[in-house]
Structures are given as C-alpha cells and as structure tokens.
Amino acid sequence: AQSVTQLGSHVSVSEGALVLLRCNYSSSVPPYLFWYVQYPNQGLQLLLKYTSAATLVKGINGFEAEFKKSETSFHLTKPSAHMSDAAEYFCAVSESGTASKLTFGTGTRLQVTL
Amino acid sequence: EPEVTQTPSHQVTQMGQEVILRCVPISNHLYFYWYRQILGQKVEFLVSFYNNEISEKSEIFDDQFSVERPDGSNFTLKIRSTKLEDSAMYFCASSVQRQETQYFGPGTRLLVL
C-alpha cells in the first residue's frame, strides 16, 4: 500500500522568501511522485513529477523537488516566493509498474504575505 | 493546449436522486479516472477506466457508482441514489498511458441536500 504524509496543513512565507513544503511517502515498490497545485476554485495542475530518472526534478513556476530515498521524502522548494504562489499544494504517489491510481496527501495551503 | 473538461461545474440534487457527472478527456488519452475531494479533506481515488472497462476501483466506489464511456469523447460517472455524504468536488482526469501524467479537469461540485 502507498501513502503520503504532508507535514504542515498551512505554511506562511513572506514574498521573496524560500518556500519549503514537506512530503514523505510510503510505498512497497519504487514510487512515482508528484506535486500538484490547486488554485481557488480550480482543478489540479501538475507542478512536477519524479519517475525514477534524475532525483532533482524541476517543474513549472520555479518550483523543484528532490527525491531522497533514504529519507522517503520528496519536499517541494522554491527559492523566492511570489504572491501568485498562494494556493493549495498536494503531494501524490503512485506505484511504478502496477496500478496507476494517485494517492494524495492532505495538502498544504501556502500563504504568501507582503 | 488540450484540456480535460467537466460539466456541470456545480450540481445541487436531493438525496436519493441519480446524478450523472460528465467529462471529456483529452482526445488521444486512453486512461480515465475519477477522484473526489470532500470539503476540507484530501483528494481520493474512485476509479480508473481503460479499454471500456474498470481497471481499478477504491472501496468508496460501491454499487451506487458506475462509469461509462458512452461515445468516443465522453466519460461519465453516475451515482444512482445520492447520499448526503456524496457531497464533494468530483475530478475527472485522463492520461495517455497508465503511468503517464494524469491531467485533471476543473471539477464538478456536487451538493446533496
């Protein structure tokens, strides 16, 4: 079985500050890992994904995430937050080679302040 | 850029009524999915569909739920007799292949009264 834990349901950063959203996963087989963003009243948009290639993955809008197998983590970072980054961020896992369903974390709401 | 579309965007229904939520996946995609998000909770997988049959379903997807691809473009989720706890945002997604990126639609917000 697969699962995702996102630490911190709410994160607040100042504009220009580092964004760090935490995600830890559990999977019985090598995982595929994803970060999705949900803006208010919108659907889920893929930010980036890890599918067993490079461990440092770059995504859209300046976000990146690093897969660390030893820590079972896939934390999302952005060097400098922008007001437009305010949204809900979901980490998700699927099991490579078998089912394709995504198992999501509970989400982290990012607030960006002036 | 191609996108997944869903209709309606909002639906209000009475408990016990049947609802059909509609989705148009991206045209060259072969795998289709439904997820739901109860207000304030995480997004949960309901079902995946490939080659005109269900390939995987969750324990949430009981006999009250069904999916269908009635023609070459639509993918529907039917809830036969809605319950209050079916109130949620329902997302459709599609992917080219089983392990490829899933692209999500904007969702249908279902409210059961």
Side-chain angles (χ1 to χ4, degrees), chain A residues 21-90:
Chain A
L21 305 183
R22 298 179 186 275
C23 172
N24 288 89
Y25 70 91
S26 172
S27 177
S28 56
V29 298
Y32 289 171
L33 293 157
F34 307 81
W35 276 99
Y36 281 86
V37 60
Q38 184 181 32
Y39 297 102
N41 301 312
Q42 294 187 29
L44 298 164
Q45 180 182 2
L46 181 72
L47 274 179
L48 50 80
K49 64 178 180 180
Y50 165 80
T51 56
S52 75
T55 56
L56 181 62
V57 182
K58 294 187 185 298
I60 61 171
N61 301 339
F63 285 93
E64 62 182 38
E66 186 172 9
F67 172 70
K68 292 187 176 180
K69 184 178 178 181
S70 61
E71 298 177 8
T72 60
S73 69
F74 191 58
H75 302 330
L76 182 71
T77 60
K78 182 174 180 178
S80 176
H82 192 271
M83 295 296 288
S84 60
D85 295 327
E88 184 117 26
Y89 292 79
F90 293 94

Side-chain angles (χ1 to χ4, degrees), chain B residues 43-84:
Chain B
V43 177
E44 301 172 288
F45 169 79
L46 292 178
V47 65
S48 60
F49 190 86
Y50 168 71
N51 199 26
N52 279 320
E53 60 183 29
I54 291 173
S55 52
E56 189 178 7
K57 62 182 181 179
S58 72
E59 59 198 25
I60 302 169
F61 194 88
D62 60 22
D63 292 344
Q64 292 299 313
F65 291 88
S66 62
V67 289
E68 190 180 28
R69 188 153 164 82
D71 53 44
S73 59
N74 289 283
F75 178 52
T76 63
L77 174 69
K78 182 192 292 185
I79 309 175
R80 288 191 185 80
S81 178
T82 51
K83 309 185 197 66
L84 296 177

